[in-house]
Structure formats: structure tokens, C-alpha cells
Amino acid sequence: MNGDERRKKIINILSSSKSPVAGVALAKELDVSRQVIVQDIALLRANGAAIFSTNRGYLIQADKQYSRVLKVVHEDDEVEEELSTIVDAGGHVKDVFVYHKVYGVIRAHMDIKSRRDVRNYLEEIRTGKSSLLKNVTSGYHYHTICAESEEVLDAIQEELKQKGFLAKLQDYEPVDFWGDNEDEAKA
């Protein structure tokens, strides 16, 4: 079982339990060390899972919402299809952001939950003097997508992939434009 599968199993175990589940019990059931469970819990929390630690173990908040950041790319005339694909599958587009080589991360709140929100957003873009944020990075941009389960997020990701909207992830290495890195200054 890989890390993603194990973390999904942790979510399932915690979701189906009415009482806290000890880290030792999770480790034993998943055949890993307690430290691996601690790391998995930290990753799940970083991805939006509402997992709480108690003196008796881990609990998951009943009204859960999961999130995932997806890198996408498309043309201007495909924005409606991209956003509609997400909301039709049960997703909520929380924001859009880009990594600009000079300015760093530029982020904008979107809060798109329905086709009506999609239409309103597109109308604001059409009638305003601004262009889409994706256009400052040759169409590449990121969305934070929220949903009620990992399965819904998986379905959204798969549908975006099938439509050709998912972009290949690459490692991002920040560039020190101000010369604050002493090692670079010595080189």
C-alpha cells in the first residue's frame, strides 16, 4: 500500500469510528510505525482534513470538506467548460493562483460553487477591463478545489485530465532576485 492509499484508509477508519482512534491502533492496523501515522495525519491536515488530536487518539470532524490544488492550462474560451466541469462534479473552486517568475504567487479568491457562479464570474470578466489571471503565465494556473470527499476530488481530477485541462506538475524553485542568499552571493 502506498502513502496515498494509506492516508485514504486513515480517513475511512476515522470517519467510521464514533470514538477517538489511537495512533498506535492505526499503526498496527496499517502495518506501519506510529511515526508514519503522525506524518500521514500532518499531510491530511495540510490538505484540509479536519482531524483533531485528543488524549485518547484522533477524531475527524463530522462535516468534513477536503481540498486539493490542481494545476491546469487551457485557452480563454475554455474557462466555462473548466469551471463547469468542477462544479458539476460536486466541487467548489475556492481560488485561482499563478506562480509568476518575478512577483511570486498571485492569488485571487473565486468562491465558485455552481453554474450560476460560473456565469456571473464570466460576465464580470467580459464586462470588466481586466483579463484572466492565467494569461500572465501563458495559460498555466492553479485552483484550490474543495469537495465533500476525496472520491469527489479524484473524479474532478480525472475529468479535468480527460478533457486535457490538467497540466504537468513541475518542481518550483524560488529565485532569489534580491541577493539575500549568502551562498549565491559568495559564488
Side-chain angles (χ1 to χ4, degrees):
M1 167 181 334
N2 68 32
D4 288 335
E5 292 168 342
R6 188 178 57 248
R7 286 184 285 280
K8 285 181 184 180
K9 193 143 176 103
I10 289 170
I11 292 293
N12 290 335
I13 292 167
L14 295 177
S15 296
S16 63
S17 177
K18 303 235 187 263
S19 59
V21 180
V24 173
L26 287 169
K28 185 176 180 181
E29 185 168 338
L30 299 171
D31 197 30
V32 294
S33 71
R34 189 180 152 291
Q35 185 58 37
V36 169
I37 297 298
V38 170
Q39 291 170 352
D40 282 344
I41 296 292
L43 285 169
L44 288 166
R45 285 175 174 158
N47 282 316
I51 299 174
F52 300 96
S53 299
T54 71
N55 60 352
R56 296 180 316 158
Y58 297 106
L59 283 171
I60 195 160
Q61 185 176 342
D63 59 337
K64 302 169 288 291
Q65 186 160 64
Y66 300 90
S67 66
R68 187 175 298 172
V69 173
L70 299 177
K71 182 179 181 183
V72 291
V73 61
H74 53 75
E75 300 299 322
D76 286 359
D77 63 354
E78 296 173 311
V79 172
E80 183 172 12
E81 183 179 2
E82 174 215 26
L83 296 175
S84 294
T85 298
I86 294 167
V87 298
D88 288 352
H92 164 201
V93 184
K94 184 177 177 182
D95 62 17
V96 60
F97 62 98
V98 296
Y99 285 113
H100 192 278
K101 289 184 179 184
V102 175
Y103 300 118
V105 176
I106 304 170
R107 182 180 309 262
H109 178 74
M110 293 185 82
D111 194 29
I112 295 179
K113 299 177 185 175
S114 66
R115 281 197 176 240
R116 180 178 183 204
D117 292 342
V118 172
R119 284 191 303 273
N120 291 341
Y121 168 76
L122 291 172
E123 185 61 25
E124 284 185 42
I125 291 293
R126 280 188 205 110
T127 60
K129 294 184 180 185
S130 299
S131 66
L132 297 162
L133 187 57
K134 72 175 196 63
N135 290 335
V136 301
T137 54
S138 303
Y140 291 94
H141 58 291
Y142 299 80
H143 287 296
T144 304
I145 310 295
C146 299
E148 65 184 25
S149 70
E150 289 287 339
E151 292 77 18
V152 171
L153 290 172
D154 290 344
I156 292 168
Q157 187 168 340
E158 182 59 31
E159 190 148 349
L160 290 172
K161 180 180 178 183
Q162 288 178 4
K163 292 185 176 192
F165 293 149
L166 275 189
K168 183 180 179 203
L169 288 175
Q170 297 175 336
D171 290 335
Y172 174 73
E173 294 187 30
V175 178
D176 183 10
F177 290 101
W178 306 109
D180 294 337
N181 188 330
E182 291 180 24
D183 293 336
E184 285 182 12
K186 293 178 186 175

